[in-house]
């Protein structure tokens, strides 16, 4: 792994070090928590359904009809094509936000001069609702992939930058002192202390930035001319097809949860030295 | 050899100048083990950081092995109170880190680090992460890391302060054994513990607070060879009683001035 510089420990050696808990061990203690969570979700669905019995079906369709619309969408190739269309600019914008945000964040975290110069701009853009920039993006880039990627990028990049920058600033001062006492050079100071030391913040930046990118993706679909998932949403809206409309919303929630879970997994894997049983 | 000459360090604390140490003169001879002891706030850690080159004094100079220092140097190595190991690196890479910082090739630095770890009784733990080790073992890695660069001056900042009493005694004994077998090596050892200072040192430097200054330098009147048996001697009791009266006096005086201030 690049973070470890030149450690050549084999997987076999490593596995004697960190004992990975078996599946039953890992979930055994989590079972009550999972049970409570699932129960709470089920109760929410029941409450919704109770409300929907007496409400206007156009506004609040029954949980069962949303569910069958959802299952129906999963078997529909157009649904998957819509996601494919939406995900392309999502991935471009996400990747650009990660590269730019992490790089910029690390630089800002390390240099107090650049931090002082960039600080006001970052605060400004952090306070600005990104949606207000969408018209300007349309004028500049039109409505195609570049414009769509840009929306996603702008939604994520500031959070990524700020989170990564704060991580670098909180790298253990003692470690930096220790490095200095041994005459550690600039390059090794970065690769051996600052980079691994801010790994938790970098992982958090990626996770938060990804969540923001998902929001950007939805906004992009709703505010620009819709071609992907947004097209499904506007079609079902215009047709007053409430169950399918809610089913698309549900699919977006599932997608966001999936991406978030993926990021947490990556976050855990990125720090093998952390005790995950603690 | 460490030669401290008229060293003063003034910080700005909340806009108010604060003198951490004032006009320190101290010479630690080649091969000498000197402990620096005093109530908290006497500037002993600041003084050690100045010797390490991590802090630049406002006035005065520190000469190490004949050269006036202006930063860290290869002839010195530091052992930290809280071990300060890289949590993401193996024990072996941690022990080799000082050598890595100095650009020693990988094979060579690993060989040396392995040797030092073996001396510290840590063979077999090379691939562990620091968090998997007890505090005492982690500090053994910290000491191995410092000794791996073969410094002529070893600087230690309350290295056993974070350890339990039993581990502490064991570490003191092992450090002394290591010391005996090493060639002429100079040590500056900051501690809170009187017994530790008496057990380890040739001389004890008593520091006082407000401002941090040297109060008295005391030769330990026991031969280093049979320090371990020293506990039974009546002289020892008399010596520690004197040391304690000095320390107690300083601590109480410091409490009184603080009370008067606040």
């Amino acid at each position: 792994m690049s973070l470890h510089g030149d450690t050549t420990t084999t997987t076999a050696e490593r596995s004697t070090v960190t004992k990975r808990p078996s599946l039953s061990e890992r979930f055994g203690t989590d079972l009550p928590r999972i049970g409570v969570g699932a129960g709470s979700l089920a109760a929410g669905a029941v409450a919704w359904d109770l409300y929907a019995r007496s409400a206007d079906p156009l506004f609040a369709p029954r949980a069962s009809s949303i569910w069958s619309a959802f299952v129906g969408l999963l078997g529909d190739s157009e649904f998957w094509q819509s996601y494919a269309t939406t995900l392309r600019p999502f991935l471009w914008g996400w990747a650009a936000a990660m590269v730019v945000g992490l790089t910029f964040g690390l630089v800002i975290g390390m240099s107090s001069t650049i931090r002082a110069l960039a600080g006001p701009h970052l605060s400004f853009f952090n306070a600005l609702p990104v949606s207000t920039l969408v018209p300007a993006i349309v004028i500049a880039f039109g409505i195609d992939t570049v414009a769509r990627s840009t929306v996603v990028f702008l939604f994520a990049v500031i959070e990524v930058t700020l989170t990564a920058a704060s991580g670098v600033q909180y790298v253990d001062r003692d470690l930096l002192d220790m490095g200095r006492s041994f005459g550690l050079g600039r390059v090794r100071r970065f690769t051996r202390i600052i980079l691994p030391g801010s790994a938790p913040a970098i992982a958090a930046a990626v996770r938060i930035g990804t969540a923001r990118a998902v929001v950007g993706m939805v906004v992009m679909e709703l505010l620009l001319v819709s071609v992907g998932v947004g097209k499904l949403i506007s079609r079902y809206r215009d047709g007053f097809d409430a169950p399918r409309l809610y089913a698309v919303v549900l699919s977006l929630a599932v997608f966001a949860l999936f991406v978030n879970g993926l990021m947490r997994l990556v976050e855990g894997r990125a720090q093998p030295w952390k005790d995950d049983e603690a | 050899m460490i030669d401290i000459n008229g060293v003063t360090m003034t910080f700005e604390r909340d806009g108010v100048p604060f003198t951490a140490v004032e006009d320190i003169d101290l010479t630690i001879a080649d091969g000498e083990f000197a402990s620096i002891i005093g109530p908290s706030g006497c500037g002993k850690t600041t003084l050690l950081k100045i010797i390490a080159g991590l802090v630049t004094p406002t006035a005065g100079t520190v000469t190490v092995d004949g050269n006036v220092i202006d930063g860290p140097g290869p002839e010195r190595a530091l052992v930290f109170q809280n071990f300060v190991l890289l949590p993401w690196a193996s024990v072996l890479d941690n022990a080799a880190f000082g050598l890595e910082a100095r650009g020693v090739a990988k094979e060579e630095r690993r060989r040396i680090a392995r040797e030092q770890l073996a001396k510290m009784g840590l063979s077999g733990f090379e691939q562990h992460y620091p968090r998997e080790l007890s505090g005492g073992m982690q500090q053994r890695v910290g000491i191995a890391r410092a000794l791996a660069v073969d410094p002529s001056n070893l600087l230690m900042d309350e290295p056993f302060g974070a350890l339990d009493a039993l581990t502490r005694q064991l570490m003191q004994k092992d450090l002394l054994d290591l010391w005996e077998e090493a060639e002429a090596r100079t040590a500056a050892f900051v501690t809170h513990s009187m017994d530790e200072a008496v057990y380890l040192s040739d001389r004890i430097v008593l520091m006082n607070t407000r401002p941090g200054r040297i109060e008295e330098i005391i030769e330990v009147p026991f031969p280093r060879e049979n320090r371990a048996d020293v506990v039974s001697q009546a002289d020892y009791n008399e010596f520690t009683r004197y040391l304690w009266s000095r320390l107690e006096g300083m601590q109480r005086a410091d409490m009184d001035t603080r009370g008067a201030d606040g």
Side-chain angles (χ1 to χ4, degrees):
Chain A
M1 255 176 63
S2 61
L3 283 189
H4 290 269
D6 50 15
T7 37
T8 52
T9 34
T10 63
T11 347
E13 278 175 296
R14 182 76 78 197
S15 68
T16 62
V17 173
T18 29
K19 314 169 287 290
R20 290 230 161 268
S22 75
L23 272 180
S24 66
E25 268 177 322
R26 187 185 288 269
F27 286 107
T29 53
D30 275 353
L31 268 179
R33 200 172 59 83
I34 292 172
V36 169
S40 177
L41 268 182
V46 169
W48 171 272
D49 208 58
L50 285 175
Y51 171 69
R53 277 168 205 267
S54 57
D56 183 347
L58 255 185
F59 172 61
R62 298 284 301 271
S64 54
S65 63
I66 296 175
W67 181 252
S68 55
F70 183 66
V71 173
L73 282 179
L74 292 183
D76 183 356
S77 67
E78 195 198 352
F79 173 79
W80 295 106
Q81 274 163 16
S82 301
Y83 260 96
T85 311
T86 301
L87 281 182
R88 222 158 59 98
F90 169 77
L91 287 175
W92 280 116
W94 176 85
M98 291 307 150
V99 173
V100 172
L102 292 179
T103 311
F104 198 34
L106 288 173
V107 170
I108 287 177
M110 280 186 290
S111 158
S112 54
T113 315
I114 298 178
R115 184 158 63 243
L117 289 173
H121 298 271
L122 285 170
S123 304
F124 178 79
F125 280 107
N126 197 33
L128 183 77
V130 182
S131 321
T132 56
L133 291 175
V134 169
I137 291 166
V138 174
I139 293 173
F141 301 117
I143 54 167
D144 289 333
T145 308
V146 177
R148 292 164 182 279
S149 311
T150 306
V151 175
V152 173
F153 169 79
L154 285 177
F155 259 89
V157 71
I158 303 290
E159 294 276 355
V160 176
T161 307
L162 291 175
T163 311
S166 73
V168 177
Q169 283 172 262
Y170 288 112
V171 169
D172 191 346
R173 308 287 319 165
D174 284 348
L175 286 179
L176 294 170
D177 265 359
M178 184 276 290
R180 204 153 68 83
S181 79
F182 284 108
L184 194 71
R186 279 168 154 264
V187 176
R188 281 205 180 91
R189 191 169 80 107
F190 179 74
T191 58
R192 299 289 276 137
I193 296 181
I194 294 179
L195 204 55
S198 42
I202 290 174
V206 170
R207 182 165 49 76
I208 295 167
T210 305
R212 292 281 300 161
V214 171
V215 175
M217 175 186 96
V218 175
V219 169
M220 163 265 278
E221 277 291 329
L222 293 178
L223 292 188
L224 293 178
V225 172
S226 308
V227 291
V229 179
K231 195 165 89 182
L232 291 180
I233 289 182
S234 41
R235 183 197 300 160
Y236 299 138
R237 177 196 62 199
D238 295 346
F240 294 101
D241 189 348
R244 282 212 178 79
L245 182 62
Y246 278 103
V248 175
V249 172
L250 184 64
S251 76
L252 281 169
V254 170
F255 171 74
L257 279 174
F258 170 74
V259 170
N260 207 8
L262 205 66
M263 288 303 133
R264 282 188 186 281
L265 203 70
V266 172
E267 201 171 348
R269 282 292 157 91
Q271 304 162 64
W273 65 89
K274 280 261 169 81
D275 193 347
D276 52 6
E277 286 150 87
Chain B
M1 192 174 84
I2 300 168
D3 190 21
I4 303 166
N5 216 316
V7 160
T8 295
M9 180 74 219
T10 309
F11 294 105
E12 190 110 316
R13 197 183 267 178
D14 304 325
V16 184
F18 167 82
T19 306
V21 292
E22 190 173 66
D23 202 19
I24 302 279
D25 288 304
L26 175 66
T27 301
I28 305 174
D30 279 333
E32 184 184 5
F33 197 119
S35 286
I36 303 170
I37 189 170
S40 49
C42 70
K44 51 192 189 296
T45 292
T46 304
L47 184 62
L48 198 75
K49 282 189 170 169
I50 291 172
I51 302 171
L54 291 175
V55 171
T56 311
T58 341
T61 54
V62 176
T63 309
V64 177
D65 297 351
N67 301 311
V68 177
I69 62 157
D70 63 346
E75 76 290 346
R76 282 160 286 153
L78 193 52
V79 177
F80 298 80
Q81 179 178 8
N82 299 315
F83 326 136
V84 194
L85 303 176
L86 302 171
W88 47 81
S90 66
V91 163
L92 183 62
D93 285 343
N94 266 296
F97 190 72
L99 294 163
E100 186 189 352
R102 287 171 192 189
V104 176
K106 187 155 83 178
E107 286 313 309
E108 176 73 355
R109 68 176 184 246
R110 291 203 159 165
R111 186 184 62 73
I112 297 170
R114 250 182 254 275
E115 255 174 47
Q116 290 296 338
L117 287 171
K119 275 189 190 166
M120 300 301 302
L122 285 174
S123 291
F125 290 96
E126 288 90 348
Q127 299 308 328
H128 282 57
Y129 284 117
R131 68 161 164 85
E132 298 171 306
L133 270 51
S134 69
M137 289 163 88
Q138 290 191 39
Q139 191 57 295
R140 283 170 193 271
V141 180
I143 294 170
R145 177 178 63 193
L147 292 178
V149 299
D150 197 19
S152 50
N153 302 273
L154 189 61
L155 315 175
M156 292 167 274
D157 183 11
E158 299 191 40
F160 310 141
L163 306 177
D164 64 86
L166 224 72
T167 310
R168 195 174 178 134
Q169 274 188 351
L170 201 65
M171 296 285 285
Q172 288 164 359
K173 186 175 181 306
D174 289 357
L175 180 66
L176 211 57
D177 288 349
L178 264 169
W179 201 256
E180 296 300 313
E181 74 180 55
E183 298 129 57
R185 190 172 270 160
T186 311
F189 187 96
V190 166
T191 179
H192 259 115
S193 159
M194 195 177 66
D195 289 326
E196 189 167 87
V198 174
Y199 180 59
L200 291 173
S201 340
D202 300 312
R203 281 196 302 164
I204 297 174
V205 180
L206 274 177
M207 286 185 74
N208 206 344
T209 52
R210 309 178 153 234
R213 60 187 186 275
I214 293 178
E215 189 75 25
E216 187 176 351
I217 300 174
I218 307 163
E219 295 267 350
V220 178
F222 314 110
R224 207 197 262 155
E225 290 74 56
N226 52 355
R227 256 323 138 75
D229 309 324
V230 106
V231 192
S232 54
Q233 299 173 13
D235 299 349
Y236 173 83
N237 294 333
E238 194 185 327
F239 181 67
T240 50
R241 202 173 301 132
Y242 170 71
L243 252 183
W244 169 242
S245 70
R246 294 299 316 262
L247 277 168
E248 190 190 19
M250 287 193 275
Q251 190 90 37
R252 286 199 190 282
D254 184 52
M255 275 160 63
D256 290 346
T257 42
R258 271 170 212 263
D261 282 357

